[in-house]
Amino acid sequence: RRLRPPDPDPDPEVIFLVDRNNQYDVWFRSMSNLHSARILIAENNSAVRTMICELLGARGHDVFVAYDGTMARDVFEQSQTAFDLIVIRSHLPLMGGVELLKVVRSRSPAVPILFIKESIDEEIVGIDESCEVISKPFSPLEFVSAVQRCLS
């Protein structure tokens, strides 16, 4: 939900969000150093997928959604234009996140990958050092910051 910032003269580019623990996160409506990007999302959790799509769509990115690993692979392989970023959840139905990562790397070794782990304690074998990794649960600010690092 949106809240009015505490500053009496708020920056029109900033919205304050409240998460489940009543913690404030700053959501930048636009970031000048982010360009409009083509982003493929491989996430089967509808709530997380919706949040990600809203965050990226609000920044003008073109978002392509896949609900499982094989759908993500098919979207990736059939796309006529390269993706600027691929967001992959570690546990996906039909084709796991690491397996999807291998397919992506075999065809586009330089595409940035944002890998979402199920928890901070999850150990994942098979991801390369070039992947940006975040763990659930993450805040909108953490996700947007990770996307920014991947696209810069």
Side-chain angles (χ1 to χ4, degrees), residues 4 22 26 42 56 66 89 91-92 94 106 114 119 130 139:
R4 182 174 292 160
N22 286 330
V26 179
L56 297 176
R89 178 182 177 177
H91 295 282
L92 289 169
L94 305 180
S106 71
L114 175 54
S119 72
S130 66
S139 70

Side-chain angles (χ1 to χ4, degrees), residues 46-98:
S46 62
V48 175
R49 192 173 56 243
T50 299
M51 179 198 65
I52 288 172
C53 290
E54 288 176 357
L55 288 169
L56 297 176
R59 285 161 180 75
H61 298 302
D62 294 326
V63 180
F64 299 79
V65 177
Y67 309 108
D68 61 54
T70 57
M71 182 187 289
R73 180 201 61 211
D74 293 345
V75 170
F76 173 74
E77 290 177 343
Q78 295 169 11
S79 177
Q80 299 294 324
T81 308
F83 287 100
D84 298 302
L85 172 64
I86 300 177
V87 179
I88 302 174
R89 178 182 177 177
S90 61
H91 295 282
L92 289 169
L94 305 180
M95 175 187 281
V98 173

Side-chain angles (χ1 to χ4, degrees):
R1 71 185 166 165
R2 294 180 181 191
L3 297 178
R4 182 174 292 160
D7 184 350
D9 185 25
D11 181 341
E13 295 297 313
V14 176
I15 299 172
F16 285 78
L17 300 177
V18 175
D19 68 14
R20 290 176 285 201
N21 301 318
N22 286 330
Q23 298 295 315
Y24 286 89
D25 277 338
V26 179
W27 179 21
F28 293 92
R29 213 179 281 214
S30 65
M31 296 182 167
S32 59
N33 60 342
L34 283 181
H35 65 284
S36 178
R38 287 175 44 89
I39 302 174
L40 173 59
I41 308 297
E43 170 62 64
N44 65 310
N45 181 300
S46 62
V48 175
R49 192 173 56 243
T50 299
M51 179 198 65
I52 288 172
C53 290
E54 288 176 357
L55 288 169
L56 297 176
R59 285 161 180 75
H61 298 302
D62 294 326
V63 180
F64 299 79
V65 177
Y67 309 108
D68 61 54
T70 57
M71 182 187 289
R73 180 201 61 211
D74 293 345
V75 170
F76 173 74
E77 290 177 343
Q78 295 169 11
S79 177
Q80 299 294 324
T81 308
F83 287 100
D84 298 302
L85 172 64
I86 300 177
V87 179
I88 302 174
R89 178 182 177 177
S90 61
H91 295 282
L92 289 169
L94 305 180
M95 175 187 281
V98 173
E99 189 178 351
L100 176 59
L101 173 64
K102 290 176 183 176
V103 170
V104 169
R105 285 290 183 240
S106 71
R107 297 167 197 258
S108 295
V111 67
I113 303 289
L114 175 54
F115 207 85
I116 300 174
K117 295 188 338 179
E118 297 302 310
S119 72
I120 197 161
D121 299 326
E122 181 182 15
E123 300 259 348
I124 299 178
V125 177
I127 63 171
D128 56 66
E129 295 174 359
S130 66
C131 293
E132 180 75 27
V133 178
I134 60 172
S135 300
K136 289 182 180 179
F138 51 82
S139 70
L141 180 62
E142 289 171 316
F143 181 77
V144 169
S145 296
V147 168
Q148 184 177 6
R149 286 190 301 272
C150 290
L151 293 176
S152 61

